[in-house]
Amino acid sequence: MRVEELPIPDSVKVILAKSGYDELYPPQADAIRAGALEGKNIVLASPTASGKTLVAELAIIKSIVERGGKALYLTPLRALASEKYEDFQKYRDVEKAPGRKVRVGITSGDYDSSDIYLANFDIIISTNEKADSLLRHRSPWIADISIVVADEIHLLTEADRGPTLEVVLTRLLKLNSEIQVVALSATIRNASEIGEWLNANQITTEWRPVPLREGVHHDGQIQFKDGSSRFIRRTDTNPIFDTAIDVIREGGQVLIFAETRRSAVEMGRKASALLRRQLIKPERRGLENIAQRILSTGERTRLGEALAEQVLNGVAFHHAGLAGGHRRIIEEAFKTGRLKILSATPTLAAGVNLPARTVIISSYERYEAGYGRYPIPVLEYKQFCGRAGRPKYDKFGEAILIARTEDEQDYLMKNYVMAEPERIWSKLGAEKVLRPHVLATIATRFATSEEGLIRFFAKTFYAFQYDPKMIRSKLGDILAFLNREQMVEFEGEELKATRFGRRVSELYIDPVSAVVLRDGLYTRSKHVTDVSFLHLISRTPDIAPKLYPRRGEDEMLELFAKEHQDEFMCEVPEYYGDTNGISYEEFLSEIKCARVLYEWINETSEDGILEVHKVEPGDILRMVDTSKWLLHATHELAELFGHKDLMKSTYELQIRCAKGVKTELVPLVELEGIGRVRARALFNAGYSSLDQLKRASVTDLMNVPLIGPSLAKKIKEQVGGLIKADEWEKLRSQTADVTEQSLLTDYRDEDSV
Ligand SMILES: Nc1ncnc2c1ncn2[C@@H]1O[C@H](COP(=O)(O)OP(=O)(O)OP(=O)(O)O)[C@@H](O)[C@H]1O
Ligand SMILES: [Mg+2]
């Protein structure tokens, strides 16, 4: 099927031709034949890079141009939302009506907002969580949605992200059963079941733009699925690196999937030592630049230094502990081919698109505390395989498992290479997962009685897969809890949320978190300090990532707890050994969280936190995000329950957590381009208020360490005051501004993976 023949506006055809789309890929043609452009619901399950996005794009354009209304594109991660937002930019000049162009918007961040401005857009890209929060705020424009795309819908099976997507789709369909649903999925065994649930035409294909060869390496030889094999020259004792070097010699790139962050770093380090000899001079120079950029982006940490060191040899590790800025530099350098080997944790497989000729799966086992070691699901293995083969660069992609024995080789062949992926299962059934969604359903009046609530949840994928009766008793327990905690109330048959319940739903926190916050604010502590609030939010189930004390850290945490014993807004549990043993461990984990946040807002460097607590920059960033959100919730609940005296401190603490600064820097970090390091530099140079900055000249500001001309000018533009044109011209021509630019990159938009 040719793009030219499609029933879409000519202007869209021109755009597609310009982007190099002439012929549709087979899965795309299948989806069009199944009615994607005629408003039909579609579930398209096909491999990575088989062009699923284009199907969604065409269905969206067709829908908004011909049927009017808005399109909502749902993704599981913020990074993917940005990727899609970029993809959609190409349609900016398409007219949906004479003289009215299609407008594309993206929404992320703040969950406690209804984002009224989104009414101006035709296509809205959102994460599942953000869409859920918008539904809770009953954003008026939601009624205009006529098509919704659910990307990566196979993630329904993931306990932490699946249920939200499931509930969002159920709600949207309840609001308007005519909405067109386009669901995109990796290949899974029961795509047809999702199809039935959504009343959709279902298409499953195995087609790939780049053919995939799957195999198992054992003893110097890779055995492939099709019966062929390949010998690998031995240069190292580890088959992983033998395979990698072999691929690189032939001009390919390699992605190694490691089991843990630590092994990702370690494998990167070994690969880097091996690759050193293979590089030529110009390659080395390019790599030196990248390493330099890493060192000058964000705060300097030993993790960043280790990364820069590997990069010098064309290798990098990639995991969620990395600072966001570093991660992006690495991704870019791998995409442009400058890095040859990337050693990554499994989160990479579910994130942004980063293909390589060869994917090596170094371990097919995972470890979970209290559970032991277990083999990964086939679905996860397939996700890794999906990263093999770069379209337009590689003639084929390879996915290689590593076996230590012949028996293991047989096992891997049978259970992964030849195996079908598992069915996916809804995870909405767990009480703690269901609880916030029950409250939200009542608070937004999607259900106004217990029966209505049951009817609503009977429409979910969970109820579709399991017996709807199973959900009934769970809903009863949850209602009893919400009623007891005064979040919902009955008026005869009518079920209503209280003001507290409504606010909790909007704040997008777990009802259990709300109880912790409410009770803490009520009980208070002898002395109410920063630690009081930081510990309070660390006690909620919403705090993430959860931090656990490392071996030998208990004593330090106990000391901290003792020093601050009059500041906890809860009872402190007894020492180990008695029946409170478990809760005491919990308590230390809360203390660790509070302590790390406390150090963060008292300007301990990222490297200091890494050294003492082994908490990596990527994790600090995620903690900052969640703590900001939970402190906002604390602030709002303080208002709701009339604790006026606590409102100023909770508000200020939010800003301090967001930026990682002491109180005295708060006014400075509110300026764009000023993070905590530069704010401290300004403060130390005598600029402690915006007024003082206003009186300074651009030259004065440039004398402050880490402040270059662009930033100096940017500061002046924000605080007001004069910039003399001749002074500025002179300065600009004198100073090279390169490092400053990279220092300016905003790296505070992380995904919680
Ligand atoms: N008909 C086509 N002709 C040429 N290139 C295409 C065509 N359709 C899609 N592509 C390109 O293929 C690449 C992969 O497409 P896309 O991102 O939609 O894959 P996907 O199926 O969504 O994979 P994933 O499972 O990784 O999300 C994109 O770079 C896209 O531009
Ligand atoms: Mg996709």
Side-chain angles (χ1 to χ4, degrees):
M1 199 183 279
R2 296 186 58 76
V3 169
E4 254 171 35
E5 301 159 14
L6 293 174
I8 50 172
D10 286 339
S11 56
V12 176
K13 292 180 186 172
V14 173
I15 292 166
L16 292 176
K18 259 195 232 151
S19 321
Y21 302 85
D22 301 318
E23 192 76 32
L24 288 188
Y25 285 165
Q28 295 168 341
D30 287 348
I32 305 283
R33 273 187 225 107
L37 300 185
E38 291 148 32
K40 295 264 165 53
N41 291 350
I42 301 280
V43 173
L44 173 57
S46 74
T48 295
S50 59
K52 295 186 284 291
T53 318
L54 185 65
V55 173
E57 289 173 21
L58 294 176
I60 284 177
I61 294 286
K62 181 84 174 172
S63 172
I64 56 182
V65 171
E66 287 188 4
R67 288 188 288 277
K70 292 187 189 306
L72 179 65
Y73 194 113
L74 299 171
T75 77
L77 298 172
R78 275 194 245 170
L80 291 175
S82 316
E83 209 176 82
K84 295 304 155 199
Y85 180 64
E86 293 303 317
D87 284 345
F88 273 98
Q89 289 306 317
K90 58 177 175 285
Y91 299 112
R92 259 186 325 207
D93 289 329
V94 172
E95 292 193 339
K96 63 170 180 177
R100 296 193 50 204
K101 290 185 177 165
V102 167
R103 305 228 275 164
V104 187
I106 182 166
T107 167
S108 64
D110 189 1
Y111 289 138
D112 185 22
S113 157
S114 56
D115 290 8
I116 304 283
Y117 72 95
L118 289 172
N120 298 323
F121 297 104
D122 304 295
I123 304 173
I124 294 160
I125 325 266
S126 168
T127 60
N128 301 328
E129 281 71 25
K130 178 68 192 192
D132 187 16
S133 76
L134 290 167
L135 278 159
R136 294 183 186 198
H137 280 273
R138 303 160 144 264
S139 308
W141 52 268
I142 284 178
D144 300 334
I145 296 170
S146 52
I147 174 169
V148 56
V149 174
D151 204 353
E152 317 273 346
I153 198 167
H154 55 276
L155 295 177
L156 277 179
T157 200
E158 281 196 7
D160 51 347
R161 285 182 248 170
T164 305
L165 173 58
E166 189 175 335
V167 169
V168 166
L169 288 176
T170 309
R171 282 208 214 299
L172 288 169
L173 286 167
K174 165 121 190 180
L175 280 172
N176 172 7
S177 59
E178 299 291 297
I179 285 186
Q180 182 186 3
V181 182
V182 176
L184 310 175
S185 171
T187 38
I188 46 174
R189 195 180 293 188
N190 56 337
S192 59
E193 205 175 356
I194 300 180
E196 276 173 54
W197 172 53
L198 292 172
N199 210 351
N201 293 332
Q202 189 269 131
I203 304 131
T204 295
T205 80
E206 286 296 340
W207 185 87
R208 292 172 178 274
V210 185
L212 172 70
R213 307 180 71 199
E214 290 164 77
V216 184
H217 183 148
H218 170 57
D219 200 18
Q221 194 178 1
I222 303 174
Q223 200 74 54
F224 288 102
K225 188 178 186 174
D226 61 6
S228 67
S229 64
R230 176 149 78 89
F231 285 98
I232 298 290
R233 196 179 350 153
R234 292 226 171 123
T235 46
D236 187 70
T237 46
N238 190 330
I240 295 172
F241 303 126
D242 285 342
T243 313
I245 299 281
D246 191 77
V247 174
I248 289 162
R249 281 215 186 96
E250 288 173 8
Q253 283 172 291
V254 181
L255 196 56
I256 304 175
F257 279 108
E259 195 179 328
T260 59
R261 289 185 192 181
R262 206 159 132 186
S263 59
V265 176
E266 192 49 26
M267 271 194 278
R269 196 183 60 75
K270 286 197 183 129
S272 158
L274 285 169
L275 218 60
R276 183 172 304 149
R277 286 167 250 139
Q278 318 271 341
L279 293 176
I280 50 174
K281 233 185 185 161
E283 284 179 324
R284 215 178 279 280
R285 263 198 302 279
L287 291 167
E288 275 161 17
N289 278 336
I290 300 169
Q292 202 45 52
R293 267 180 65 207
I294 290 173
L295 293 177
S296 58
T297 298
E299 280 182 44
R300 190 135 178 170
T301 63
R302 57 203 70 201
L303 193 72
E305 282 167 7
L307 183 68
E309 185 144 346
Q310 294 187 11
V311 164
L312 287 175
N313 296 320
V315 180
F317 58 88
H318 184 288
H319 62 57
L322 280 179
H326 292 167
R327 229 161 75 178
R328 273 193 286 280
I329 295 174
I330 294 302
E331 288 166 5
E332 178 65 27
F334 194 70
K335 274 190 189 154
T336 53
R338 284 200 274 183
L339 291 176
K340 305 293 178 206
I341 299 181
L342 203 59
S343 170
T345 47
T347 51
L348 182 88
V352 291
N353 191 18
L354 213 60
R357 156 103 54 94
T358 300
V359 167
I360 303 175
I361 298 133
S362 71
S363 162
Y364 63 94
E365 286 184 322
R366 296 287 174 269
Y367 175 79
E368 217 171 289
Y371 198 76
R373 290 185 78 74
Y374 63 93
I376 59 170
V378 179
L379 196 62
E380 188 173 342
Y381 161 76
K382 292 280 176 198
Q383 293 257 346
F384 297 152
C385 293
R387 293 287 176 229
R390 292 181 67 184
K392 300 188 198 105
Y393 295 95
D394 297 326
K395 285 200 188 61
F396 61 90
E398 288 180 321
I400 315 289
L401 284 153
I402 306 286
R404 281 154 296 191
T405 63
E406 217 162 292
D407 279 354
E408 195 172 46
Q409 188 172 31
D410 291 345
Y411 170 85
L412 294 174
M413 254 320 175
K414 177 162 170 279
N415 292 294
Y416 288 103
V417 178
M418 311 298 272
E420 252 192 275
E422 296 79 8
R423 293 168 61 108
I424 63 158
W425 292 100
S426 166
K427 297 290 160 30
L428 185 63
E431 193 171 317
K432 81 179 208 308
V433 169
L434 203 52
R435 205 163 36 216
H437 294 301
V438 171
L439 176 60
T441 306
I442 301 165
T444 47
R445 312 287 283 163
F446 272 88
T448 50
S449 66
E450 187 163 357
E451 279 313 305
L453 195 65
I454 293 166
R455 274 199 306 279
F456 176 82
F457 282 94
K459 296 271 191 224
T460 58
F461 188 50
Y462 179 83
F464 184 83
Q465 280 197 308
Y466 298 87
D467 187 346
K469 279 198 215 92
M470 284 176 65
I471 229 166
R472 196 177 262 265
S473 71
K474 283 183 188 156
L475 290 177
D477 292 346
I478 293 169
L479 272 184
F481 168 83
L482 294 174
N483 187 230
R484 196 167 58 237
E485 297 298 347
Q486 295 172 353
M487 284 182 239
V488 303
E489 61 195 7
F490 289 92
E491 268 177 26
E493 286 291 288
E494 200 189 341
L495 182 55
K496 276 165 84 174
T498 60
R499 257 182 81 201
F500 177 38
R502 277 202 306 278
R503 201 65 194 110
V504 171
S505 161
E506 289 171 348
L507 289 168
Y508 208 68
I509 55 175
D510 187 326
V512 174
S513 298
V515 170
V516 170
L517 298 178
R518 179 198 60 191
D519 293 351
L521 291 173
Y522 180 78
T523 323
R524 305 222 181 161
S525 41
K526 206 157 160 195
H527 305 294
V528 177
T529 62
D530 295 345
V531 171
S532 311
F533 294 111
L534 296 178
H535 175 252
L536 187 63
I537 62 168
S538 301
R539 297 190 70 208
T540 67
D542 278 315
I543 193 79
K546 218 169 154 53
L547 303 179
Y548 298 97
R550 299 170 59 83
R551 200 174 303 159
E553 208 179 358
D554 286 11
E555 215 171 303
M556 184 167 71
L557 295 172
E558 278 164 16
L559 201 65
F560 183 83
K562 208 167 165 59
E563 273 169 31
H564 296 276
Q565 58 184 347
D566 291 337
E567 299 165 47
F568 301 119
M569 292 176 158
C570 70
E571 250 185 80
V572 176
E574 295 287 313
Y575 190 60
Y576 295 106
D578 58 23
T579 44
N580 274 332
I582 291 172
S583 73
Y584 191 74
E585 269 180 25
E586 261 308 293
F587 177 69
L588 284 189
S589 164
E590 295 161 16
I591 292 293
K592 173 151 185 180
C593 229
R595 165 106 197 246
V596 167
L597 285 170
Y598 181 74
E599 292 201 8
W600 169 250
I601 63 169
N602 283 300
E603 296 179 40
T604 303
S605 68
E606 288 182 13
D607 196 51
I609 295 177
L610 177 60
E611 190 188 356
V612 177
H613 301 286
K614 302 288 178 283
V615 176
E616 297 182 312
D619 297 314
I620 299 178
L621 234 53
R622 275 182 293 282
M623 277 189 82
V624 164
D625 256 0
T626 36
S627 60
K628 243 164 47 186
W629 159 57
L630 288 168
L631 285 167
H632 170 71
T634 312
H635 176 78
E636 296 297 298
L637 292 182
E639 173 160 34
L640 186 75
F641 289 109
H643 305 292
K644 291 228 157 38
D645 56 324
L646 301 181
M647 291 185 60
K648 186 165 171 281
S649 45
T650 44
Y651 181 75
E652 191 188 270
L653 210 50
Q654 268 178 74
I655 302 174
R656 290 184 56 200
C657 264
K659 306 288 183 171
V661 292
K662 295 184 186 162
T663 309
E664 63 202 28
L665 293 191
V666 168
L668 300 181
V669 288
E670 301 223 40
L671 293 171
E672 204 189 319
I674 302 292
R676 61 183 198 151
V677 176
R678 289 206 193 74
R680 182 48 65 194
L682 283 169
F683 190 92
N684 290 347
Y687 302 103
S688 58
S689 70
L690 298 187
D691 221 39
Q692 278 165 317
L693 287 173
K694 195 169 164 179
R695 286 197 294 270
S697 73
V698 176
T699 318
D700 291 338
L701 293 181
M702 277 174 55
N703 284 333
V704 177
L706 296 171
I707 308 251
S710 302
L711 187 54
K713 184 165 174 239
K714 203 164 163 178
I715 295 172
K716 291 297 290 176
E717 280 163 0
Q718 293 177 77
V719 295
L722 231 50
I723 304 175
K724 292 191 195 115
D726 51 341
E727 182 194 3
W728 168 243
E729 268 315 311
K730 203 168 120 209
L731 290 169
R732 207 182 47 163
S733 56
Q734 277 170 359
T735 338
D737 215 7
V738 193
T739 31
E740 192 194 26
Q741 278 311 323
S742 70
L743 281 164
L744 276 175
T745 46
D746 175 21
Y747 57 99
R748 308 220 152 270
D749 57 338
E750 285 295 280
D751 281 311
S752 47
V753 288

